[in-house]
Amino acid sequence: MKTTDSRSRLRGPAVLLAVSTVALATSAAFAQDNTSPPADAGYRPSSTIETITTQAQKIETNIQSTPVAVTSISGETLQRSFAQDLRDLSKNTPNVMMEPVGAFQNASAFFIRGFGSTDIESATDPGVGIFVDGIYQARTSTGLSDMLDVEAVEVLRGPQGTLFGRNTIVGAVLLNHNKPDVNDFDMKASVLAGNYGRLDVKGVINVPLVEGVAAMRLAVKSTNFDGFYTNETDHTHYGTNDRITILPSFRVEGESWDATIRGEIGRIRDDSYANVQYSQCPGTAADPSIPDTAAFQMVPRINYLVKGAQGLTDACGKQPGKDAYTVQHDNTNGRGSNFDIWGLTGEFNYTIPDVGTLTYVAGYRDAQEDVYNDFDATDLPIYMTRRQQDHWQTSHELRFASEFSDTFDFVAGLYYFKQKYYMEQDTYGWLFDSNFSTAFVNAITGAQGLQLTDLNASAGGFGATTQSNTSWAAFVNANWHFTDNLTLVAGLRYTEETKNFETCAPSAINDRANRACNTTPNLPGSTYYNSDISLAAGDNNWSNVSPKVGLNWQTTDDMFLYASWTRGFRSGGFNGRCGTPFSCAPFDPETADSYEIGMKWDPLEELRINLTGFWLEYQNQQVTLIRQSPAASGGGNETVTANAGQARAKGIELEVTAVPTEGLKLWGALGFLDAKRTQFCADVDGIGAFPGAPGASCNPADEIEVANANFPNGGYGYYPVDASGLPLPRAPKWTLSAGVSYEVPVADMGFLEFAADWRYTSRSVQTAAGIPPGSTAGIMNYDGTLITPWRDKAHVFNASVTFNEIDNRYRVSVFMKNITNEHYIQSITAVAALFNFMQVNEPRHWGVEVSLDF
């Protein structure tokens, strides 16, 4: 692992101070001279708002006449804001939360208008679809990979079921890379260095092979980072990045056709994600300041039994302050978040004069991962996992776009998608030693004999899951122009999906040495489940019709109004981390009806105002919960997805851009969201006594009681309760952001750009089930730390200074992010009676970047 000594940590701020001083001195000198660049200079400060195009309708259209709530961020803007991955886009988009899942280094948890997904399993489809160069990305586990050579990223809010289809039920993110340029040679390079050992090196070369006909392009990036965390267990940095990304591409253009082939190679050797303790350690009823260790979650209780008072400090919940960047990870049996990715994408366009354009897009992607996690987040080997997974996907889309007549145009197509994955999981540590119960009781009673420290840290269980998924769809989206200014929009998509699933939950009954599941049905302790043999035929098939109807009105050349109704769809599926046969059983699809009205207005060349209002009705919502499970399933908990009820969201989104004077650009975004559950009937608190009390659940018909002689009272039961009062996770009421950039000429040398932005997010719940399960009140620990599912409101400020040479041959930038060093919870994972852990946001950090354009 990389380390950074004290001299390098002092050297970084000194460099930042020196560069900032030079930049400000240059600016002050210009303020006195105020010399404008010569008339033939390459630089011109912007004085109007640029025209932005979008692919939101599968064809290139002006964003100001496209009836979709979409925010487009150019690759140049991303580069100037030093964006590392897609999470940096949250500040530009209202009612959008792009964040990491938590516990998994590169996994994305994207939420739009209060809905999304936090499950990293390949068995579960994301709620926000990510499309890279037109190819749907089926997995969230690589959603936060490094961005490189990006042309633009578009965030589409609201269901995109007609044109983009499956699993875009609340929105889509479109990331497009630059195409090879068949006319001009270009070569670029940049180096970014910052604190915490950050060093990014990237280069892009574009070479016309036959001028005007063919070109190749190659983009390469190396990312190295020491991580924001310090691991007290072995005194190393934690959360490191070590990545190589290679994007080769080739393009050929003919008179009426073009073809682009892209490759992707990714090698990621990151650290395991740093988990910070957030466990419950309440005090006694008589004196809340005295630890009631019997009421602790399991991990802090074990720590107390082994280490006494020090165990409380190590394992009880922390507040999300600067101390949260000090972690304790044992990593007895491994450490790392390793991915090997390769893919190939092709796009072919053929234009038939006066008829239309035929487009074929195809892709294949393979991702192999090997991820370790020390989930107990202590220096004791209590609960650890290793997940090894191979996932591949392929897709084909054929579409035809035609301006059929002056009054009618359309886009229609066919889509085919197939994916398959195989995942092996080892769950190990003291908790999985067969003698754990004996050692645990001895520690509590003070008895002699086997102690917790005598347990085998490598003891554990093996589990495996595989799923194949095949989907196809047919779609059409048409525009009927009543007049030059009034247009009726109608769209329809039909989708069929088939999934076949097998799993055995991690358990000692499986053959860990030979990596094999015990497939004996109904064997005590076995949770082998095969959808083909355990379900009636057709139970793993789903189909859907997603319609859209809208009306567009171009009231003037500067104002565009639209209203629409759209239905989004997310397929049903199976629980990839279930622990019992009935919780492995399939869950149903979910749908969302979205009613939206919007205004896009350019009253001046220097001013743009976009306003959207929406109402979203969610049916059969898929909710992922972590709950207690029978001990026979291994580990004492299981992660399940179930159709838990209904929800609705309403709100407004305002985006404003202004260029009040030459070189000065202002922008702002406001999102107001009122999202809540209207029905939430789910087993949020795990297994209960057998038999259950009549009427104990909100829907007695959903009660599941399992007879088992190994449990008290002869069995156990799952009893759904009415939890509709629980807020939706990651659905803050307010998101506000604003930014400014000002370009200042520096004699005839170039210009300085001063930029700053601010993002405010109101408080929000970060878990689906609450802490404790079914509650948002939280638990007060004995030391006064409130363990709550809420994330506090937060303000984040960023700023930069950039000098750009007059002919754009080089650029030097200094930036700082999270200037005020705001600390807040990024994500929370509450694991039933075992433990809770969290991840915190990125602290204040800075960097210097030098970019060259040859």
Side-chain angles (χ1 to χ4, degrees), residues 91 755-759 796-800 816-819 845:
K91 68 180 182 182
D757 60 73
W758 158 76
R759 164 85 167 185
V796 176
F797 296 88
N798 309 306
S800 65
M816 182 175 288
K817 293 190 176 185
N818 193 6
I819 295 172
H845 58 286

Side-chain angles (χ1 to χ4, degrees), residues 3-42:
T3 60
T4 304
D5 62 23
S6 60
R7 290 173 297 174
S8 64
R9 291 191 180 277
L10 290 172
R11 189 185 305 124
V15 172
L16 176 63
L17 178 61
V19 174
S20 301
T21 302
V22 171
L24 294 174
T26 306
S27 174
F30 168 73
Q32 297 174 2
D33 184 36
N34 202 28
T35 304
S36 298
D40 60 349

Side-chain angles (χ1 to χ4, degrees), residues 46 75 97 174 186 325 412 561 576 590 614 620 635 647 661 738 746 748 760:
S46 59
M97 303 283 282
L174 316 182
D186 191 21
Y325 297 95
L561 304 177
E590 62 179 10
F614 63 89
N620 237 14
T661 187
V746 182
D748 59 354
Y760 168 78

Side-chain angles (χ1 to χ4, degrees), residues 145-164:
S145 298
D146 282 4
M147 290 191 293
L148 171 65
D149 198 27
V150 172
E151 178 186 28
V153 179
E154 301 178 34
V155 182
L156 282 56
R157 303 186 296 278
Q160 307 297 318
T162 304
L163 286 169
F164 292 92

Side-chain angles (χ1 to χ4, degrees), residues 177-247:
H177 293 101
N178 288 307
K179 297 181 178 70
D181 187 333
V182 298
N183 295 305
D184 297 320
F185 173 87
D186 191 21
M187 186 164 62
K188 301 177 181 179
S190 69
V191 177
L192 189 157
N195 59 341
Y196 297 102
R198 181 173 177 181
L199 180 63
D200 296 353
V201 181
K202 60 184 176 182
V204 179
I205 184 170
N206 187 96
V207 181
L209 302 176
V210 179
E211 188 172 351
V213 176
M216 61 82 63
R217 189 179 185 92
L218 179 65
V220 180
K221 182 179 182 183
S222 169
T223 301
N224 287 276
F225 176 57
D226 284 351
F228 296 116
Y229 300 84
T230 300
N231 187 15
E232 290 189 330
T233 302
D234 56 11
H235 307 291
T236 62
H237 296 291
Y238 211 91
T240 63
N241 295 152
D242 183 358
R243 307 177 180 180
I244 296 289
T245 304
I246 304 174
L247 303 177

Side-chain angles (χ1 to χ4, degrees), residues 712-753:
N713 300 319
Y716 55 88
Y718 290 82
Y719 308 103
V721 298
D722 183 2
S724 56
L726 282 176
L728 289 162
R730 302 184 193 243
K733 188 173 185 178
W734 295 99
T735 54
L736 293 90
S737 55
V740 58
S741 64
Y742 185 45
E743 300 167 320
V744 182
V746 182
D748 59 354
M749 298 167 54
F751 67 94
L752 277 174
E753 180 184 48

Side-chain angles (χ1 to χ4, degrees), residues 251-270:
R251 181 174 174 84
V252 181
E253 294 184 5
E255 185 175 344
S256 59
W257 62 275
D258 63 77
T260 304
I261 298 175
R262 304 177 186 274
E264 175 194 12
I265 301 171
R267 181 183 183 276
I268 299 174
R269 294 297 182 267
D270 288 355

